[in-house]
Amino acid sequence: MSPYGRRNSPRILIAGAGIGGLTTALSLHAAGLDDVRMVEACPNLRAVGAGINLQPAAVRELTELGLAPALEKVAVATARLEYHHRFGGLIWSEPRGRAAGYNWPQYSVHRADLQEILLSAVLDRLGPEALVTGDRLIRYEQDRAPQPGPSPVRAYVADRPDPHTCDLLIGADGINSAVRATLYPHEGPPRGNGIRMWRGVTEGPAFLDGRTMVILGCNARVKAVAYPVTRPDRSGRCLLNWVVESRTDDGIGEEEARGADWDRAVPPEEVLTHIEGWRSDFLDLHGVIAGAPRIGRYPMIDRDPLPTWTDGRVVLLGDAAHPLYPTGSNGASQAVVDARVLAYALAHHGVDEALARYEGDRRPQTTKLLAAHRRLEPDPVLRQVEALAPDGFHDIRHVLPEDSLDGIRSCTRQVTGVDATALNARTSWSVAV
């Protein structure tokens, strides 16, 4: 039990032990809400995934949860974002994280390392009994008849007749959330935009300053993203996360959108054909892809914004509430922010009022972010570059006037969600208990 526990703490069940679910458990514990359990479909939480970015807004929250020392050991403090055309020429460059004026860094990190940090903290602070693995939630029920006080939520898991009962169910079970599907049974599969992504992590030489994310090409044709997720070792090598995106004509099928074959590896040749003829003097992208120990293929998908995230004593969080295209490197960060806002509200208000405040704060913000991610804001500028200089260039001023880059400038502000001045000035969501 936490020393900050309070009387009459609601029984809270979290569906999903991903980044959002684990951060929610830690945030609730830090806020003095101790009766927290988690159910996770995977029997064994194994280290999977590739690189992700944590925006300064999320790093602030993880820092206030006491996780900064662990993050600093495994993550790269990203200092710059650069756009290049497919022959390597620089289109746009901007500072990131502390270099952009934030009080907290932007981190590039392997998802498995971040998951391990969060999981270790949950097991240490809440105890191993707080997490049940191998329980795949399939639906929930709650009584609607008038009665004295709220009725418990019954959360059913596959292959078990008896449900988990709780006073609050938090659906943090991802883009194909069973909690969301119960709340919106006719919604259907996620929406694809016709772009497929191939991604992997490869050990290779660090490029540029070892702290820069590069974006090459554009989604009108093919786009590639690369950034380090570990600091260079003594030999100058690190782990490089990379993604190649290409528009397809065959669309995204329902089974693919729901996750069919997401774990299936594909050969490098399937990816390399999309970047044939590309070149760069700072990154051997072909060699990085060819050297990847494993390559996964995924559709670029999201879901339409919802009219509400709340159903009685049930609420959605993270990708279950607002899945975003990865173009803004912000999905995991928004789940972290969700967790902190929800825990802060529950620490100060009764459950019903807390859910209303959480949704009133987060749903409008994430709806704006979803729209910004769908616009793929820099692409109009990048398409102009492709059309005006199909064979590349050395100086952007010879291709486009300076004011043509406004689309890229505004994109950063829109997809990160909060500027440095606002984030630095905001009061803490940590709870004095």
Side-chain angles (χ1 to χ4, degrees):
M1 291 286 288
S2 162
Y4 311 122
R6 65 184 193 185
R7 293 181 180 179
N8 301 320
S9 177
R11 298 171 299 163
I12 300 174
L13 181 67
I14 303 168
I19 292 169
L22 292 168
T23 306
T24 301
L26 292 172
S27 300
L28 293 169
H29 175 269
L33 297 154
D34 289 314
D35 198 345
V36 178
R37 293 173 296 155
M38 308 182 68
V39 291
E40 165 58 42
C42 294
N44 299 297
L45 288 179
R46 52 195 174 93
V48 296
I52 62 171
N53 275 268
L54 291 171
Q55 300 298 333
V59 176
R60 172 179 181 173
E61 302 312 319
L62 296 174
T63 298
E64 295 189 3
L65 285 171
L67 302 177
L71 274 173
E72 290 169 2
K73 290 180 181 179
V74 299
V76 175
T78 305
R80 297 203 69 77
L81 169 66
E82 294 189 354
Y83 289 87
H84 294 253
H85 61 66
R86 66 188 187 280
F87 302 119
L90 179 65
I91 300 171
W92 174 257
S93 177
E94 65 182 37
R96 303 292 278 190
R98 285 201 171 103
Y102 291 92
N103 289 344
W104 299 268
Q106 173 179 327
Y107 277 136
S108 297
V109 63
H110 199 293
R111 179 182 290 272
D113 288 335
L114 175 59
Q115 184 103 357
E116 178 58 32
I117 289 171
L118 296 171
L119 178 59
S120 294
V122 166
L123 297 178
D124 179 60
R125 299 177 191 182
L126 280 74
E129 67 278 1
L131 173 62
V132 178
T133 58
D135 268 13
R136 181 173 61 86
L137 191 142
I138 55 176
R139 63 185 174 89
Y140 69 83
E141 293 178 351
Q142 55 187 331
D143 295 330
R144 305 293 181 177
Q147 56 186 317
S151 63
V153 180
R154 297 180 297 280
Y156 292 87
V157 299
D159 302 322
R160 291 199 182 186
D162 297 324
H164 296 278
T165 60
C166 57
D167 300 312
L168 171 62
L169 172 62
I170 301 172
D173 48 344
I175 191 169
N176 285 307
S177 163
V179 178
R180 179 171 176 143
T182 305
L183 179 54
Y184 294 96
H186 304 297
E187 182 181 23
R191 290 178 31 153
N193 65 356
I195 295 174
R196 279 196 176 86
M197 304 178 291
W198 293 262
R199 63 188 308 166
V201 178
T202 306
E203 182 183 329
F207 61 86
L208 298 176
D209 62 356
R211 298 174 59 197
T212 295
M213 172 189 290
V214 295
I215 298 175
L216 304 97
C218 74
N219 274 324
R221 300 176 63 179
V222 178
K223 185 174 88 173
V225 182
Y227 54 88
V229 292
T230 61
R231 292 186 288 274
D233 61 18
R234 292 181 179 178
S235 65
R237 297 177 70 80
C238 62
L239 289 181
L240 300 173
N241 181 82
W242 58 267
V243 184
V244 172
E245 304 171 6
S246 179
R247 290 195 175 273
T248 61
D249 295 328
D250 54 348
I252 303 297
E254 179 174 340
E255 289 303 312
E256 183 178 6
R258 291 194 184 279
D261 293 334
W262 285 8
D263 289 332
R264 183 171 65 87
V266 301
E269 292 75 21
E270 183 175 311
V271 191
L272 291 170
T273 185
H274 294 280
I275 60 168
E276 186 175 351
W278 288 31
R279 59 181 183 272
S280 167
D281 60 3
F282 62 85
L283 174 64
D284 178 13
L285 185 59
H286 298 80
V288 168
I289 293 171
R294 189 181 187 283
I295 299 172
R297 181 180 62 196
Y298 312 89
M300 187 178 289
I301 52 178
D302 68 3
R303 289 184 181 275
D304 288 335
L306 296 173
T308 181
W309 296 349
T310 306
D311 177 26
R313 292 297 184 88
V314 178
V315 70
L316 302 175
L317 182 145
D319 279 354
H322 49 76
L324 303 172
Y325 292 160
T327 52
S329 302
N330 208 358
S333 295
Q334 292 305 307
V336 170
V337 174
D338 285 353
R340 294 284 286 169
V341 171
L342 178 58
Y344 185 84
L346 286 166
H348 289 89
H349 305 280
V351 174
D352 298 323
E353 175 67 15
L355 298 186
R357 287 174 177 266
Y358 159 71
E359 182 173 335
D361 181 320
R362 297 296 298 147
R363 190 165 60 84
Q365 292 186 43
T366 56
T367 298
K368 290 179 182 178
L369 284 172
L370 188 149
H373 283 66
R374 283 184 172 180
R375 285 194 295 270
L376 303 174
E377 195 78 23
D379 266 29
V381 178
L382 302 179
R383 284 195 293 270
Q384 284 182 276
V385 172
E386 290 277 353
L388 295 174
D391 298 319
F393 57 83
H394 296 290
D395 190 335
I396 187 66
R397 292 172 296 179
H398 297 162
V399 181
L400 294 174
E402 175 68 15
D403 60 5
S404 295
L405 299 175
D406 287 343
I408 296 180
R409 286 193 189 94
S410 66
C411 173
T412 299
R413 292 192 296 271
Q414 293 181 52
V415 300
T416 54
V418 59
D419 64 27
T421 301
L423 181 64
N424 294 345
R426 179 178 59 72
T427 57
S428 173
W429 288 325
S430 291
V431 177
V433 290

